[in-house]
Amino acid sequence: MDKMIEGYRRFIAQGWPARRALFQDLAEHGQNPRAMIVACADSRVDPGMIFDAGPGEMFVVRNVANLIPPYAPDGAQHATSAALEFGVRVLKVKDLVVMGHAMCGGVRALREGVPDEATDFLAPWISVARPVRAKVLRCTDPEEAQELAEQEVVKLSLDNLMTFPWIAEPVRAGALNLHGMCFDIRSGALEVLHTDGMFLPV
Ligand SMILES: [Zn+2]
């Protein structure tokens, strides 16, 4: 905790004064982010840092392995779907990004199984990406399988986004754009998914 409080003290002494006016404006007028990003909860892939974005610029939801479950309005507690509903229907973001990353532990758990001590929620959550598992079985090289799985998870999440009627409709109308990306924590490279299914560096 000490390290966190120290960090907060640095922020309030240095970062806050520089952004005070911006925060006041955001508090007064509300947020109006143009983009929403779904990223992994992994501590190494902070979207705000990667996109050098300030307060109010991006509506972010982070979960294990940047997964989007299929549309299921069944009354259960769906945190990611709730964030999507707020971002798309209320904030009306124009761009919706799913960003995967290299060396993703969630994707590794998908390929190799979840840790024994984390089966209550992690196993059913990761099972959202079960179809990806079969797709990467043909890879004999574990590193290649991991990288392919990370990319396929992004594609699966994008496919699942289109099962939400209030996402599919604005996408078809050209009012909402979906994007897939992968960030390499080893090199800092960012790859963007193109229409031909290839991830190419920015
Ligand atoms: Zn991850």
Side-chain angles (χ1 to χ4, degrees):
M1 260 320 264
D2 290 353
K3 202 166 185 307
M4 287 174 68
I5 298 298
E6 269 175 41
Y8 168 71
R9 290 207 168 106
R10 279 195 303 277
F11 164 72
I12 207 67
Q14 297 156 25
W16 178 259
R19 295 186 180 91
R20 194 193 317 256
L22 174 60
F23 271 106
Q24 272 170 357
D25 182 60
L26 288 167
E28 203 176 315
H29 299 105
Q31 60 171 333
N32 186 25
R34 199 195 138 82
M36 174 167 181
I37 179 154
V38 181
C40 185
D42 191 301
S43 60
R44 302 164 291 184
V45 287
D46 175 1
M49 185 184 283
I50 293 166
F51 296 104
D52 193 22
E57 286 184 43
M58 295 189 315
F59 189 68
V60 177
V61 57
R62 295 175 72 176
N63 63 40
V64 174
N66 39 269
L67 290 172
I68 311 280
Y71 179 69
D74 54 12
Q77 287 89 358
H78 295 286
T80 296
S81 303
L84 285 169
E85 185 166 40
F86 191 75
V88 172
R89 299 182 100 177
V90 181
L91 297 175
K92 295 187 171 30
V93 295
K94 300 283 175 280
D95 294 288
L96 177 44
V97 179
V98 177
M99 184 177 73
H101 71 99
M103 319 195 75
C104 181
V107 171
R108 190 172 303 281
L110 171 72
R111 291 175 45 241
E112 298 173 359
V114 298
D116 291 339
E117 62 274 36
T119 51
D120 284 358
F121 298 100
L122 202 51
W125 174 251
I126 291 291
S127 75
V128 166
R130 197 178 286 137
V132 168
R133 236 182 131 163
K135 280 192 176 173
V136 302
L137 276 178
R138 61 183 168 83
C139 293
T140 47
D141 178 51
E143 232 177 274
E144 192 190 327
Q146 175 72 14
E147 196 181 323
L148 181 62
E150 284 154 359
Q151 294 181 349
E152 288 296 327
V153 160
V154 172
K155 292 180 186 175
L156 175 125
S157 286
L158 289 168
D159 287 346
N160 282 348
L161 280 175
M162 291 299 279
T163 65
F164 290 68
W166 33 262
I167 289 178
E169 198 187 304
V171 165
R172 292 197 184 101
L176 174 64
N177 300 299
L178 305 186
H179 312 272
M181 295 182 185
C182 264
F183 177 71
D184 192 333
I185 61 166
R186 295 160 296 194
S187 64
L190 182 71
E191 292 187 331
V192 172
L193 176 61
H194 287 251
T195 46
D196 62 0
M198 298 285 286
F199 281 84
L200 298 173
V202 169

